Amino acid sequence: AQSVTQLGSHVSVSEGALVLLRCNYSSSVPPYLFWYVQYPNQGLQLLLKYTSAATLVKGINGFEAEFKKSETSFHLTKPSAHMSDAAEYFCAVSDPGQAGTALIFGKGTTLSVSS
Amino acid sequence: EPEVTQTPSHQVTQMGQEVILRCVPISNHLYFYWYRQILGQKVEFLVSFYNNEISEKSEIFDDQFSVERPDGSNFTLKIRSTKLEDSAMYFCASKDRDRSTGELFFGEGSRLTVL
């Protein structure tokens, strides 16, 4: 069974500081990996995805993530945080061998950005 | 840009009542999903639907739940006899036939409050 673990339920940074949100996955096959963002009272929006092409993936709003097979990680980073980045971030995994397979989400990390 | 739409955005119901949550997936998508997010908790997979039948379901999706695609456009989640613990945000998602992406497109969610 596939799963993801997000280390740290809450991360606080200052505006302009580096953002690092951690995600480790468990999968018996090379997975697809995703980061979704959820702003207050809104749905889930895809930030970026890894689908076995380049290991460094760039997404929207200046975020990027690097797939590291040796570490089974897919950490999300952004060089300089903005106040508007404050949201809930979810890492998710799926099995690319199953066309309709559901995404399995981690517990989420709340990012707070202070001025 | 095509999007997944959900209605109602918020529903309040009495315990024991039946609730139907509606979703209109993106028109050329073939795979449909319902997820649940209890306040402050992770996004949990409920069920996936393909070719007019359930393809996968979680242990949360018990006999109280059912899904239907009654008319080729709507995708509904029915809860037969709601319980207090069914209070949550319910997200519908859809995915196209392309196996190379794995991305799910989510609606804005329907908030269910059971009193």
Side-chain angles (χ1 to χ4, degrees), chain A residues 3-71:
Chain A
S3 65
V4 288
T5 302
Q6 293 184 240
L7 299 175
S9 60
H10 198 161
V11 170
S12 297
V13 300
S14 299
E15 195 171 21
L18 171 72
V19 175
L20 171 61
L21 305 182
R22 299 177 186 274
C23 173
N24 288 88
Y25 69 90
S26 173
S27 177
S28 57
V29 298
Y32 285 166
L33 292 159
F34 306 81
W35 277 98
Y36 279 83
V37 61
Q38 184 182 32
Y39 298 103
N41 300 313
Q42 294 188 28
L44 295 159
Q45 179 183 4
L46 181 71
L47 269 180
L48 48 79
K49 60 188 177 187
Y50 166 76
T51 55
S52 73
T55 56
L56 181 62
V57 181
K58 295 186 183 300
I60 62 171
N61 301 337
F63 284 93
E64 63 182 38
E66 186 172 8
F67 173 72
K68 291 187 177 180
K69 184 178 178 181
S70 61
E71 299 177 7

Side-chain angles (χ1 to χ4, degrees), chain A residues 32 34 36 38 41-44 46 49 51 90 96-103 105-107, chain B residues 31 33 35 37 41-43 45 48 56 91 95 99-108 111:
Chain A
Y32 285 166
F34 306 81
Y36 279 83
Q38 184 182 32
N41 300 313
Q42 294 188 28
L44 295 159
L46 181 71
K49 60 188 177 187
T51 55
F90 294 94
Q98 304 290 327
T101 191
L103 296 185
F105 285 86
K107 291 188 175 182
Chain B
Y31 303 94
Y33 308 82
Y35 283 80
Q37 185 182 30
Q41 298 187 26
K42 67 186 292 186
V43 178
F45 168 70
S48 59
E56 191 179 0
F91 291 104
K95 190 170 86 73
R99 295 176 59 152
S100 68
T101 63
E103 175 186 351
L104 268 59
F105 293 81
F106 285 85
E108 296 277 315
R111 181 173 298 284

